[in-house]
């Protein structure tokens, strides 16, 4: 089973630039085209939050139009820049979304790997929280099929990475979440977005991955007092392949590059 993970496109209304700098909509279009060109085709596409920049209906309309050409089924969760009500309305035709409350859900029908979406966002705030209610929901979801391979998708990563302006907005409750996941060894990955960088860390007996943004990269400035910064590094996405022996994750840059050449 192949799973493509896109994240943090920060879609704007048609004609507007993200932060006045980058055409985030065109960048997401390029990502969708590259995912569609993969061989083999992914069985599923995950979008791990911050679909839009301001959570407006116009931005969601633009996002739906850009995402529409995806050939593989799409599963999506909100990020801190999304607005739950507008998000739910924009994706009202996606039957896996719950009708109210946090947007937790389980997709058990797309292949051998269950996708468990954990909505840790807090409306109006930028950090997340794996609170007691979220953990109780997740425990029940994992216990329903404890031996079946699963990935957890969430927006804010529940770890500190040492970059002060990223750690300020991480998901709280990481220790309790890690302790819960350690009881379920069939969890293959915890898949996050939010940080606009690719990061890997052991977490709760599994591997936590963050996907790069399709728009911009947040600066890697791991020193005290570092000021927030971003740059136009090459965008990318993650591609996860599950086989019975385990899950393999590839980092894929988005763009056109010289080659292929007849050597390896």
């Amino acid at each position: 089973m192949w799973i493509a993970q896109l994240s943090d496109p920060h879609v704007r209304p048609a004609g507007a630039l993200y932060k006045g700098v980058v055409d985030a909509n065109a960048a997401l279009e390029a990502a969708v085209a590259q995912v569609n060109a993969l061989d083999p085709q992914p069985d599923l596409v995950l979008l791990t939050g911050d679909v839009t920049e301001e959570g407006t209906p116009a931005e969601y309309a633009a996002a739906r139009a850009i995402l529409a050409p995806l050939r593989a089924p799409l599963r999506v969760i909100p990020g801190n820049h999304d607005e739950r009500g507008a998000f739910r309305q924009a994706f009202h035709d996606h039957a896996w979304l719950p009708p109210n409350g946090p947007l937790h859900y389980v997709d058990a029908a797309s292949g051998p790997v269950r996708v468990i979406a954990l909505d840790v966002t807090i409306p109006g705030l930028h950090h997340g929280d794996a609170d007691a209610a979220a953990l109780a929901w997740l425990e029940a979801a994992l216990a329903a099929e404890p031996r079946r391979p699963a990935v957890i998708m969430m927006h804010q990563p529940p770890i500190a990475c040492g970059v002060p302006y990223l750690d300020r907005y991480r998901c709280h409750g990481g220790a309790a979440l890690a302790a819960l996941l350690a009881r379920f060894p069939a969890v293959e990955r915890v898949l996050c977005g939010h940080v606009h960088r690719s990061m890997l860390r052991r977490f709760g007996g599994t591997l936590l991955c963050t996907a790069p943004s399709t728009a911009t990269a947040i600066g890697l400035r791991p020193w005290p007092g570092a000021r927030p910064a971003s740059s136009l590094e090459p965008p990318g996405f993650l591609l996860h392949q599950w086989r019975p022996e385990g899950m393999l994750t590839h980092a894929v840059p988005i763009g056109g590059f010289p080659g292929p050449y007849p050597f390896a």
Side-chain angles (χ1 to χ4, degrees):
M1 181 178 183
W2 291 88
I3 302 173
Q5 181 190 356
L6 305 175
S7 202
D8 297 86
H10 290 269
V11 169
R12 301 291 286 127
L17 298 179
Y18 171 56
K19 302 298 185 184
V21 173
V22 63
D23 190 342
N25 297 23
L28 181 58
E29 288 174 0
V32 167
Q34 191 154 330
V35 168
N36 281 343
L38 290 172
D39 184 15
Q41 271 286 287
D43 300 284
L44 200 61
V45 176
L46 308 183
L47 178 47
T48 45
D50 280 358
V51 179
T52 66
E53 169 66 1
E54 296 182 353
T56 66
E59 289 177 334
Y60 285 113
R64 286 302 307 263
I66 296 168
L67 294 167
L70 278 171
R71 296 173 183 170
L74 174 68
R75 301 294 180 262
V76 59
I77 55 171
N80 53 295
H81 282 267
D82 290 302
E83 197 282 319
R84 272 188 192 160
F87 181 101
R88 187 178 274 112
Q89 178 60 34
F91 294 97
H92 68 276
D93 54 329
H94 290 221
W96 34 266
L97 279 179
N100 48 58
L103 296 172
H104 309 314
Y105 62 88
V106 178
D107 175 14
S110 295
V113 178
R114 285 198 305 161
V115 174
I116 301 176
L118 186 67
D119 179 10
V120 297
T121 61
I122 305 172
L125 298 176
H126 288 299
H127 71 276
D129 190 10
D131 61 14
L135 292 178
W137 180 91
L138 178 60
E139 182 176 20
L142 290 169
E145 294 187 82
R147 294 179 179 83
R148 184 173 172 186
V151 295
I152 312 296
M153 60 182 298
M154 53 194 293
H155 183 61
Q156 293 98 332
I159 59 170
C161 67
V163 178
Y165 48 81
L166 292 177
D167 290 340
R168 190 177 305 126
Y169 300 127
R170 70 182 184 272
C171 175
H172 297 175
L177 176 57
L180 172 59
L181 295 180
R183 295 167 40 207
F184 295 93
V187 175
E188 292 280 353
R189 291 286 188 275
V190 178
L191 304 178
C192 305
H194 189 55
V195 294
H196 292 216
R197 302 200 63 84
S198 182
M199 301 180 187
L200 302 172
R201 181 175 155 181
R202 292 178 64 183
F203 181 82
T206 187
L207 183 64
L208 182 148
C209 305
T210 68
S213 167
T214 59
T216 60
I218 291 179
L220 180 58
R221 294 182 162 191
W223 59 79
R227 296 178 64 84
S230 292
S231 61
L232 298 182
E233 296 177 17
F237 62 94
L238 299 183
L239 185 61
H240 312 282
Q241 183 192 18
W242 182 84
R243 295 176 289 187
E245 60 267 32
M247 183 166 274
L248 179 69
T249 296
H250 303 266
V252 183
I254 297 169
F257 306 97
Y261 300 106
F263 53 80

